[in-house]
Amino acid sequence: MVYTGQVGGNKHTHKAGGVNYLCLSNDLENGESQKDGNTQLFGLDYEIGSSYKPSGMKGDMKNKEVPCAVCFQRRRSVHLMIPGRKTCYKGWTSEYSGFLMTDHKNHSSKDYLYVDKDAEPLDNKSSNEDGALLYGIRTKCGSLRCPPYKDATDVRCVVCTR
């Protein structure tokens, strides 16, 4: 473990600024307070209640903040996320499997995150701050070939190392 923290990102209604999610350290060394209004870093809230929760994911975590960890694996130099799978290919070691998630399709674009199937909230607080938001995503057949995909299904992922 290098460090633990909370996931942050730009507010779901902002049309410009950062698009990637960040694992923010709990051990801060911040700059000085400023008066301008260019706030772009908000805590990420799970929006995975009943309708957006991937099948097989535990608990209702709607409006709970998302924790994170940055890890280093000394003997494994290659890190690979494989979307659409829950197991690694032969010769690779599975670090965790879960679901591909991002902001809602009607909000501004954000990066995809790989969320462990056994994800937990940062704490028990659930105040619906609506900063950065995280939803489970589904497939859409058409330009995405079905088969092998199926329409409107959760997108699994696995993180593998070698």
Side-chain angles (χ1 to χ4, degrees):
M1 183 84 59
V2 178
Y3 69 88
T4 61
Q6 178 179 0
V7 180
N10 205 350
K11 188 167 181 149
H12 70 283
T13 56
H14 289 177
K15 300 299 180 204
V19 297
N20 56 315
Y21 294 111
L22 303 168
C23 184
L24 306 167
S25 173
N26 284 331
D27 186 23
L28 301 180
E29 296 176 339
N30 277 332
E32 300 297 320
S33 294
Q34 302 296 326
K35 293 184 186 197
D36 78 8
N38 194 25
T39 53
Q40 292 190 38
L41 193 54
F42 296 79
L44 181 64
D45 289 350
Y46 289 115
E47 289 294 313
I48 50 177
S50 59
S51 62
Y52 292 106
K53 186 175 87 171
S55 176
M57 186 170 237
K58 68 177 189 178
D60 181 0
M61 292 188 288
K62 187 164 177 62
N63 299 325
K64 305 258 188 208
E65 282 79 19
V66 180
C68 61
V70 173
C71 301
F72 172 74
Q73 189 60 272
R74 185 176 308 276
R75 291 183 177 81
R76 297 185 192 131
S77 61
V78 179
H79 171 268
L80 174 68
M81 187 282 297
I82 306 173
R85 290 192 55 90
K86 58 183 179 179
T87 60
C88 295
Y89 290 106
K90 186 176 181 177
W92 291 82
T93 300
S94 176
E95 298 299 331
Y96 67 93
S97 70
F99 299 93
L100 204 56
M101 297 184 173
T102 191
D103 206 338
H104 194 275
K105 66 182 181 179
N106 294 332
H107 298 163
S108 57
S109 293
K110 300 288 189 304
D111 283 345
Y112 291 108
L113 283 182
Y114 336 126
V115 179
D116 192 295
K117 64 180 175 37
D118 297 321
E120 298 177 357
L122 181 67
D123 52 33
N124 288 324
K125 181 181 164 209
S126 59
S127 61
N128 193 17
E129 296 170 13
D130 275 344
L133 303 176
L134 188 62
Y135 292 83
I137 63 170
R138 311 287 189 271
T139 55
K140 178 63 181 153
C141 291
S143 58
L144 182 65
R145 297 295 181 242
C146 298
Y149 293 92
K150 294 180 183 173
D151 198 44
T153 58
D154 300 321
V155 181
R156 298 294 306 249
C157 68
V158 63
V159 174
C160 307
T161 56
R162 190 172 187 175

